[in-house]
Amino acid sequence: MRKAGDIIGQESRDTYSICVGPVHPALKEPVRLNLRVRGERIEHVDFELSQVHRGIEWMGTRRNPIQILYLSERICGICNICHTFAFCRAVESIAGIEVPPRARYIRTIVAELERIHSHILWAGVAAHELGFDSAMHYAFRAREKVLDVIENLTGNRIMKAIMMIGGVRRDMDKGQARLVMEAADFYSRCSRKLEKIFLGDPVIKSRTRDTGILTRHDCLALCSVGPTARASGVRKDVRQDEPYGAYPDVGVKAMTPDEITGETRGDVYDRIAVRLREIKQSADIIGRCVKDMPEGKIAHEDKANVLLGELRGVQGEGIGRHEAPRGEVFHYVKLVGEEAPYSWKVRAPTYNNLLSWIPMMLGAQIADIPVIAASIDPCMSCTNRAVVTGPGRRQVLGQDMLHDLSVKRTRELRRGLRP
Amino acid sequence: MIEGLLLRTALVPIIACAGILLGLLYRGLDRVLVARMQSRVGPPVTQPFRDVKKLLLKENIVPRDAVGWIFNSVPVIALSVTVLILLYLPFIGMEPVLEGHGDLILVIYLLLIPSLALVLGGFSSGSTYATVGAQREMVTMMSYEFPLAVASVSIAWIISAANPGIAAFSLGAIAMNPAWAAVGPLGLLGLALLLLTMLAVMPGELGVAPFDVAEAETEIAGGVLVEYSGRNLAMFYLADAVKAVVLGTIVIALFLPWGIAGSLGITGMAAVAADAIFYLVKLFIVIFVGSIFIRAAIARFRITQVVKAYWGYATFVSLLGLLLISLDMLSRLL
C-alpha cells in the first residue's frame, strides 16, 4: 500500500502522477484516482475503492428483514427506493408473497419520481464539474418540485420509507394523484428545457462531445449497466428486459442516444442526452401509472409482527433486481428460518460502471477528469465493501485474499454439515 | 514643483485604498449579480470585505515542500504591482498620478507581473495541482498577450495619426483624445472589434470562467492557489479585486474616455464629482460585460480551447480590427 505522499509529484522527465481524491472537489464521495499525466494528457488510470466502507451487509445479518428495509435505505441517500425495492423483491420471491396491484403501481411511481430527482441532480453536478454553475443552479431549482411531491407522498423529501415487504406503507389519495400528474406534466416540459440548455449549449457540447468515449465493445466487456451502457448503444434496462412492478403494463423501452441525437458515440454528451430524455420517459411512466392505477389493498399484510412471523417460517434464497437511476441494482438474500437473514449481498450499479472509467479517461485531458468521473454517476457508498481496518492497518481485500477466505469458509461449512 | 510632488505622494495611499475598496465593492456586486442570474439570493454586497477580514485573521500556512521565500513574497508583489498600475491610469476620471513617468506599454508589461506572481507562487508551492495550475496560467497569459497588444497599439496609432506631436502612448493623452472621434466608418467598425477583443481578454486576465483554467476548482482544486491560505491568500484575493478595476479602467481609458460634466454643462467641483460617478458607472458596465455576465453564462474551457479562443479567434478579430483601421487611415490619406 502506497502512502499518500509518495505518488504525487514528478516521476520522470515529462510525466507526472496526479492523485484525485479521496477528498477532492471533483468527487462527491470518496474514491481515489491515481493518474499519470504527460502535460495535460492522461496516460495511465488506476483507482482505489473502499474509502467509505460502513459494514451495512454485516449489520443486516443481525437484524430482521423489516429492520433491514430501513437499513437498506441508508446504503445510499439518492437511491433509497432502489435498494429497498430490490431487497423487498428478493424477500418476496423467497416467501412467495404476491404484491397487490395497487402497491405495485405506487412502488413504480415512487421509483420513477426518484429517477427524475436523481437524474436532475446528476445534471446539476455535471454542469458544476464543467464549471457551469448557472446550469447547476437551474437544475437544482427544477429538482425542488419533485422533492415536494415526494414529501407529499411519503412524508420525507429524500428518505422515503414507503416500501414494505409485500407492498407499500402509504396509500395515494385523489389529491396526491393530481399533484403527481402535475409533476409529471411539469417534468415532461422541464426535460425539454434541460435538453435545450445542456445539449444546445455550444461550450458544453465542445467539452463533452467525443470526451470519455466508452465503445459498445468495452461496455459489453466491462458489464456496464444503466444509462452508462445505454449511452454506448447497449439496450439494457431491467424495466425492459425483466419487467416488474407496474412496468409490464406500461412497457418501457431502453433509451439509447440514437433516438435523441440520431447517432451513438458513447461519449459524455450521449450520457447527458440519455439521462435527460429518461426524465421525460419517467414522467410519461408516472402519468400512465396514475391514470391506470387499480383500486385495492396496498400491502400483503398490514401488521408488521404478523409479516415477520410469516418470514420467520420461510427458508430459501432469493434475488431482487431493480433498474436504479444508475443502472441495475441487485440484492441477494438467504433466509434460513430465523429472525435475521443468513446472508444479504448488495451489488450496486456503480460497482459495474467504475471500471469503465479506465477506457474513458485514457487519452483525455486533466480538465475532463471531473466530468468523466461524474458521467457514470458514481455512488461510492453503495459500492464499498470488503475492507479491514484496525489500529495501524488498513487493507483492501484483494482477489487472492478473498479466494483464500472463501476456501476457508467453505471448509468450515463442510465440517459443520457433517453429521 | 515640490508641492506638486508632495500632492502626488499624498495621492498614492488614497488611490491605493480607493482601488482596493472599489475592487472589493465590485467583487461584492459581482457575487450578488451572478447569484441573481443563477436564481439564488447570494451573499450581501459586503461579503468580500468579510472574506478578506476572515482570511487576514487565519493562520498562514506554508507547505513543507514549498520554496518559502518565493511562496511568501509573490502575494505582496502581486498586490503592490496591481495597485501600482492604478497610479499610471486615469483612475476615477483623474489625470494619472504618475503621468509622464510611464505609458501604455509600461502598463501592459506591468499587467504581466500579477500573473507571473501567480505562476511563481504555484510552482514554488510544491503541489502537483498548483504546478498544473501554474502551467495553465502561463499558457493563458501567453495566449491573451498578443490580442491585448494589438488593441493597445492600434489605439495609440490612431491617436498619434490624428494628433501629430502628441505622446501617443501616454494614457493621459489617450484619455483626452477619444479614438472614436478620429476615425471614419471603417475605423469605427475596427474599433468596435478591438473593444470586443479587449472585453474578451478581460476574463482571461482576471481568471474568471470560462477562462478560470488556472484555478479550476473542480479539476485541480484551486490550482495555483491550492496551497495558499490566510494572509497570503487575502493578498492574492485583493490583487484580483484590484485587477478588475485596473482592467476596467484601461478599457475605459482606451475606448470610453468621455466625461459627462461637459455635456451636462457642470463646472468646478460638481463636474469632478459628476465625472467620478460617471466613471464608476462605466466601470460597472465594463466589469459587468467583461467578467460578471460572461462568468454566469459560459462553462469552463479546456486549456486547449483557451489557447484556441485567444490565439485563434481573439487574435483574428483584433487583427481584423487593425486591418479595418489601417484601411480607414489609408482611405483618408488618398
Side-chain angles (χ1 to χ4, degrees):
Chain A
M1 192 74 203
R2 283 170 295 197
K3 292 198 300 294
D6 57 28
I7 74 137
I8 301 177
Q10 206 161 8
E11 277 193 344
S12 65
R13 274 182 69 83
D14 45 17
T15 60
Y16 269 86
S17 285
I18 285 193
C19 162
V20 176
V23 179
H24 187 278
L27 304 167
K28 303 298 163 244
E29 285 176 282
V31 62
R32 178 162 148 178
L33 282 161
N34 298 323
L35 308 150
R36 203 166 64 235
V37 296
R38 183 187 296 269
E40 288 264 337
R41 202 152 288 283
I42 301 168
E43 291 202 329
H44 179 78
V45 187
D46 193 11
F47 54 87
E48 288 172 28
L49 291 177
S50 290
Q51 314 277 353
V52 60
H53 182 64
R54 291 169 298 169
I56 285 189
E57 288 170 346
W58 182 87
M59 287 156 80
T61 52
R62 276 140 191 85
R63 281 163 172 74
N64 70 44
I66 291 183
Q67 288 171 320
I68 295 179
L69 275 184
Y70 300 96
L71 192 61
S72 68
E73 284 203 307
R74 268 82 188 162
I75 292 175
C76 170
I78 295 172
C79 356
N80 55 71
I81 282 291
C82 316
H83 288 291
T84 45
F85 204 154
F87 178 76
C88 284
R89 289 193 65 210
V91 174
E92 284 153 11
S93 78
I94 302 170
I97 294 172
E98 185 72 23
V99 181
R102 189 175 173 83
R104 294 213 310 263
Y105 272 75
I106 294 177
R107 278 180 175 188
T108 307
I109 289 170
V110 180
E112 292 305 318
L113 285 172
E114 183 176 272
R115 190 182 318 277
I116 291 178
H117 115 72
S118 173
H119 279 353
I120 295 183
L121 178 107
W122 175 83
V125 169
H128 175 64
E129 306 291 13
L130 288 169
F132 198 2
D133 283 356
S134 301
M136 173 186 95
H137 290 292
Y138 182 83
F140 272 63
R141 194 181 60 175
R143 176 171 166 258
E144 281 304 298
K145 192 172 173 73
V146 69
L147 291 180
D148 290 346
V149 171
I150 290 173
E151 185 180 15
N152 194 305
L153 280 183
T154 69
N156 278 320
R157 279 160 68 85
I158 304 289
M159 288 296 179
K160 300 172 195 69
I162 195 172
M163 289 288 183
M164 177 48 65
I165 294 162
V168 288
R169 290 178 59 224
R170 285 163 190 265
D171 201 357
M172 216 168 97
D173 63 25
K174 286 231 164 56
Q176 287 171 325
R178 206 181 57 242
L179 273 179
V180 174
M181 272 309 257
E182 273 172 25
D185 285 347
F186 174 78
Y187 283 106
S188 273
R189 290 195 306 275
C190 180
S191 126
R192 263 202 300 280
K193 223 184 278 175
L194 284 171
E195 275 181 27
K196 218 168 93 188
I197 294 175
F198 281 85
L199 304 181
D201 186 279
V203 180
I204 292 187
K205 191 164 182 178
S206 74
R207 287 289 311 272
T208 54
R209 216 23 160 171
D210 296 326
T211 301
I213 292 182
L214 180 70
T215 58
R216 190 185 152 85
H217 176 262
D218 284 347
C219 172
L220 290 171
L222 295 168
C223 300
S224 304
V225 291
T228 311
R230 292 197 280 275
S232 294
V234 180
R235 293 189 183 275
K236 189 159 149 186
D237 190 323
V238 186
R239 297 173 296 171
Q240 167 199 280
D241 304 335
E242 198 187 274
Y244 54 95
Y247 296 119
D249 304 346
V250 183
V252 183
K253 195 161 157 282
M255 187 61 67
T256 45
D258 52 334
E259 290 170 36
I260 306 154
T261 57
E263 55 179 338
T264 304
R265 297 201 196 176
D267 52 11
V268 176
Y269 188 80
D270 278 352
R271 290 192 272 282
I272 296 177
V274 165
R275 285 206 176 82
L276 292 180
R277 190 56 68 87
E278 280 185 10
I279 295 173
K280 187 177 181 308
Q281 196 185 24
S282 291
D284 293 346
I285 294 173
I286 292 170
R288 281 281 307 272
C289 284
V290 174
K291 237 178 267 154
D292 301 346
M293 183 131 70
E295 292 297 321
K297 285 210 306 182
I298 57 157
H300 161 73
E301 173 57 61
D302 290 336
K303 297 190 179 64
N305 49 355
V306 178
L307 183 65
L308 270 182
E310 195 178 320
L311 290 176
R312 215 174 286 143
V314 295
Q315 293 196 358
E317 302 170 287
I319 56 164
R321 299 163 74 194
H322 169 62
E323 182 71 21
R326 286 153 188 75
E328 178 193 352
V329 56
F330 182 98
H331 279 229
Y332 165 82
V333 181
K334 182 172 180 181
L335 296 176
V336 286
E338 283 170 19
E339 179 93 10
Y342 177 81
S343 175
W344 174 36
K345 167 91 182 147
V346 180
R347 204 229 54 215
T350 305
Y351 195 70
N352 296 37
N353 286 340
L354 276 176
L355 278 173
S356 56
W357 268 349
I358 294 174
M360 285 180 197
M361 283 190 190
L362 282 179
Q365 291 187 21
I366 296 177
D368 302 326
I369 296 172
V371 73
I372 293 179
S375 73
I376 65 160
D377 204 357
C379 186
M380 294 306 158
S381 43
C382 299
T383 302
N384 285 302
R385 57 175 63 81
V387 63
V388 176
T389 58
R393 72 201 177 105
R394 185 182 163 286
Q395 189 178 21
V396 178
L397 299 186
Q399 193 186 351
D400 300 343
M401 205 168 170
L402 274 174
H403 181 249
D404 291 348
L405 283 172
S406 315
V407 171
K408 211 170 123 198
R409 178 75 179 149
T410 314
R411 290 203 183 114
E412 275 174 24
L413 284 173
R414 276 210 194 122
R415 240 173 294 162
L417 284 174
R418 283 201 197 111
Chain B
M1 184 64 201
I2 296 289
E3 276 167 16
L5 200 65
L6 277 177
L7 184 70
R8 284 182 179 193
T9 319
L11 269 175
V12 170
I14 298 174
I15 286 189
C17 291
I20 289 173
L21 289 178
L22 206 57
L24 289 179
L25 181 70
Y26 277 83
R27 178 59 71 89
L29 282 173
D30 166 295
R31 294 191 53 180
V32 174
L33 286 169
V34 169
R36 293 296 152 90
M37 282 188 259
Q38 295 176 339
S39 62
R40 287 187 289 131
V41 177
V45 179
T46 51
Q47 189 63 41
F49 294 92
R50 296 179 190 174
D51 288 348
V52 170
K53 184 183 159 202
K54 191 187 81 176
L55 283 175
L56 289 174
L57 293 172
K58 289 263 184 183
E59 192 188 355
N60 190 24
I61 298 166
V62 181
R64 202 177 42 225
D65 297 340
V67 186
W69 65 275
I70 302 180
F71 187 81
N72 282 319
S73 59
V74 286
V76 184
I77 295 173
L79 179 57
S80 49
V81 170
T82 318
V83 172
L84 176 69
I85 304 173
L86 267 190
L87 303 181
Y88 289 103
L89 298 177
F91 181 50
I92 323 195
M94 293 183 302
E95 183 175 287
V97 176
L98 294 177
E99 174 69 38
H101 295 274
D103 53 18
L104 186 58
I105 296 177
L106 178 71
V107 167
I108 289 175
Y109 274 102
L110 285 179
L111 265 179
L112 277 177
I113 293 181
S115 307
L116 276 177
L118 266 180
V119 171
L120 271 179
F123 278 131
S124 67
S125 59
S127 153
T128 320
Y129 295 136
T131 308
V132 174
Q135 287 167 351
R136 289 179 173 188
E137 174 74 32
M138 218 155 47
V139 172
T140 314
M141 198 167 75
M142 286 188 281
S143 312
Y144 62 63
E145 243 2 84
F146 186 67
L148 179 67
V150 170
S152 317
V153 170
S154 311
I155 298 284
W157 185 33
I158 293 172
I159 288 169
S160 70
N163 313 283
I166 204 168
F169 277 103
S170 147
L171 272 151
I174 293 174
M176 296 306 285
N177 305 289
W180 302 88
V183 290
L186 265 181
L188 285 179
L189 189 61
L191 273 174
L193 289 179
L194 291 181
L195 175 59
L196 202 67
T197 316
M198 279 299 280
L199 290 174
V201 168
M202 256 183 90
E205 280 267 14
L206 295 173
V208 299
F211 300 108
D212 58 343
V213 283
E215 284 162 36
E217 183 230 333
T218 49
E219 295 162 21
I220 46 174
V224 278
L225 294 176
V226 66
E227 296 293 346
Y228 276 100
S229 56
R231 176 167 44 81
N232 283 341
L233 185 59
M235 271 189 275
F236 269 130
Y237 188 89
L238 287 175
D240 230 26
V242 178
K243 207 172 171 190
V245 176
V246 166
L247 281 166
T249 309
I250 293 177
V251 174
I252 290 172
L254 292 181
F255 293 98
L256 315 158
W258 307 283
I260 200 173
S263 36
L264 290 180
I266 312 171
T267 51
M269 278 314 281
V272 175
D275 275 346
I277 293 169
F278 188 54
Y279 162 83
L280 293 179
V281 173
K282 284 190 289 186
L283 184 63
F284 172 76
I285 294 171
V286 170
I287 292 181
F288 183 84
V289 177
S291 159
I292 303 176
F293 175 69
I294 203 166
R295 179 161 93 86
I298 306 187
R300 187 188 306 118
F301 287 140
R302 292 188 195 115
I303 184 67
T304 45
Q305 292 171 324
V306 170
V307 175
K308 202 171 148 197
Y310 280 138
W311 264 121
Y313 302 125
T315 304
F316 175 73
V317 170
S318 66
L319 287 177
L320 192 66
L322 182 58
L323 184 73
L324 287 173
I325 288 170
S326 12
L327 285 178
D328 183 72
M329 298 267 203
L330 278 175
S331 68
R332 267 190 296 165
L333 282 179
L334 297 173

